[in-house]
Amino acid sequence: MSRLHAKQLRLLIAIEESGSLLGAADKVGLTQPGASKALRELEQTFQVELFERTNRGLIPNEAGKCVLRFARLIQADINNLRFELDAIASGAGGRLAIGTIMGAVPLLTDAISDLLEHQPRMTIEVVEDTSETLLDLVDRGRLDAAICRSSVSRNPDIYESLFIKDETLSVIANVNHPAIGAKSVELTELQDSRWVVYRAHMPMRRLLEREFHEAQLNFPLHLVETTSTLTTLSLLSRNTDLVALVSDDVANYFCRHDLVGVLPLRLKSRSEPYELVLRKGPKRSPTLNLLLESLNKVRKGGPAWTADEDAGP
């Protein structure tokens, strides 16, 4: 620790972002010789080279990627320290950055609503995206945690994953869709529909592709791909021929407000459960523990969690 300096870590991140030592030096306020010396000292400290020198610039090798991941986490923790100190000084309730996949939006918003009742001064950032993107943001320290699926990661063991709930799915459509009100719908009847789906390789997309494959049907063409709940709702409300596969929680929320209808299609496949995923190792922040308490209140099923850093699934 005595040989590491904050400016060296900032330089490391700047090199990855700019791809050159000169560009990185400008970002952190060093001369090029000064930046070269700082990088050399850093590599001597870790006793390994961190970048490959190529005609495209400096590219982090495997050791460099490892050091960069921890450098970003250190930077994020220092930023979080600043936010918490500012919150203490102002009498506010702290700050929380949480990610969510589309299917968990209703659950998370219920938990946030409960949390804000008890912590009205808390600042909360919510990012909705795919599990893959959210895990990257957790890796970089940009999110405190995310409700998503760690199974999409190549290294799921680097996370602490707390079971949230099993996810069940529904196919929804505009309230004026021809199949609304029918006793049952077969998948073949929806083969020519335009589907609103997640992009390829995401768990829910793979499940839908499996349904069509097992029914010996070609997967639909001319898809609309989005990770946004609002985009999905807006598209369905304006088009009577669109259909979408969403979690039951999302479908129920939309239906309660008469925004869409659920098609009576029985799916054979089961979706993967989703989890609260956070970095393994660091002590949980007080704000994250408060969110865990609220999630425990509003979710149904599954084990309760304890609000401490050693809690497991």
Side-chain angles (χ1 to χ4, degrees):
M1 287 296 297
S2 63
R3 298 179 64 186
L4 283 175
H5 302 284
K7 184 163 280 192
Q8 290 175 319
L9 299 180
R10 286 172 51 212
L11 174 67
L12 200 64
I13 295 168
I15 292 174
E16 182 195 31
E17 291 175 346
S18 65
S20 75
L21 198 59
L22 179 59
D26 288 340
K27 282 189 174 184
V28 299
L30 291 172
T31 63
Q32 186 168 1
S36 181
K37 179 183 178 183
L39 176 58
R40 187 166 59 251
E41 289 174 347
L42 196 57
E43 291 180 324
Q44 288 172 353
T45 297
F46 292 117
Q47 299 181 350
V48 64
E49 287 193 358
L50 303 177
F51 293 90
E52 295 179 10
R53 280 70 175 172
T54 72
N55 55 7
R56 293 179 296 156
L58 296 177
I59 307 296
N61 55 26
E62 285 303 309
K65 291 176 183 177
C66 176
V67 175
L68 272 161
R69 183 163 62 89
F70 280 93
R72 289 188 180 279
L73 294 178
I74 291 169
Q75 184 182 59
D77 284 340
I78 291 172
N79 287 338
N80 289 337
L81 169 63
R82 185 193 70 210
F83 283 124
E84 290 200 22
L85 289 175
D86 288 345
I88 291 170
S90 65
R95 182 180 185 278
L96 179 70
I98 182 78
T100 181
I101 55 176
M102 182 199 294
V105 167
L107 176 71
L108 179 60
T109 53
D110 285 347
I112 289 174
S113 298
D114 176 81
L115 179 57
L116 291 177
E117 283 185 18
H118 301 91
Q119 299 289 330
R121 292 179 177 270
M122 183 178 289
T123 298
I124 301 175
E125 176 188 1
V126 179
V127 177
E128 181 189 342
D129 215 310
T130 64
S131 293
E132 184 179 30
T133 299
L134 295 175
L135 291 176
D136 180 63
L137 293 174
V138 170
D139 289 345
R140 293 171 174 264
R142 303 286 178 85
L143 293 176
D144 297 298
I147 300 178
C148 61
R149 297 181 177 90
S150 60
S151 60
V152 304
S153 170
R154 294 180 180 178
N155 302 295
D157 56 319
I158 68 174
Y159 306 107
E160 181 181 2
S161 300
L162 308 178
F163 172 86
I164 294 277
K165 63 179 295 187
D166 290 310
E167 184 181 49
T168 52
L169 303 175
S170 295
V171 176
I172 59 174
N174 186 289
V175 291
N176 293 315
H177 188 280
I180 293 291
K183 290 185 178 180
S184 66
V185 173
E186 298 299 326
L187 194 61
T188 184
E189 298 174 56
L190 302 177
Q191 185 178 15
D192 295 329
S193 297
R194 188 185 290 271
W195 284 77
V196 182
V197 296
Y198 266 46
R199 63 173 177 259
H201 309 304
M202 291 294 97
M204 197 178 295
R205 172 71 171 272
R206 291 201 304 266
L207 184 149
L208 185 61
E209 290 172 347
R210 186 164 63 248
E211 286 283 325
F212 274 90
H213 176 73
E214 291 179 357
Q216 298 183 332
L217 298 171
N218 292 326
F219 194 66
L221 301 175
H222 314 302
L223 305 167
V224 179
E225 298 181 343
T226 181
T227 61
S228 167
T229 309
L230 179 58
T231 300
T232 300
L233 174 60
S234 183
L235 285 167
L236 293 180
S237 68
R238 287 167 169 77
N239 298 274
T240 57
D241 60 332
L242 289 180
V243 294
L245 181 66
V246 299
S247 74
D248 279 356
D249 285 347
V250 171
N252 292 337
Y253 180 84
F254 286 172
C255 289
R256 282 201 307 269
H257 295 83
D258 297 320
L259 300 172
V260 299
V262 174
L263 300 184
L265 172 69
R266 296 186 63 180
L267 299 172
K268 298 177 182 178
S269 303
R270 294 188 62 184
S271 180
E272 297 177 35
Y274 46 76
E275 313 148 309
L276 183 73
V277 182
L278 51 152
R279 288 182 276 154
K280 186 181 287 185
K283 181 180 177 68
R284 295 179 196 161
S285 69
T287 52
L288 184 54
N289 279 333
L290 290 171
L291 178 67
L292 289 178
E293 292 176 9
S294 293
L295 280 168
N296 269 328
K297 287 182 188 178
V298 302
R299 74 193 183 107
K300 297 179 181 178
W305 314 306
T306 54
D308 60 65
E309 67 274 18
D310 297 320

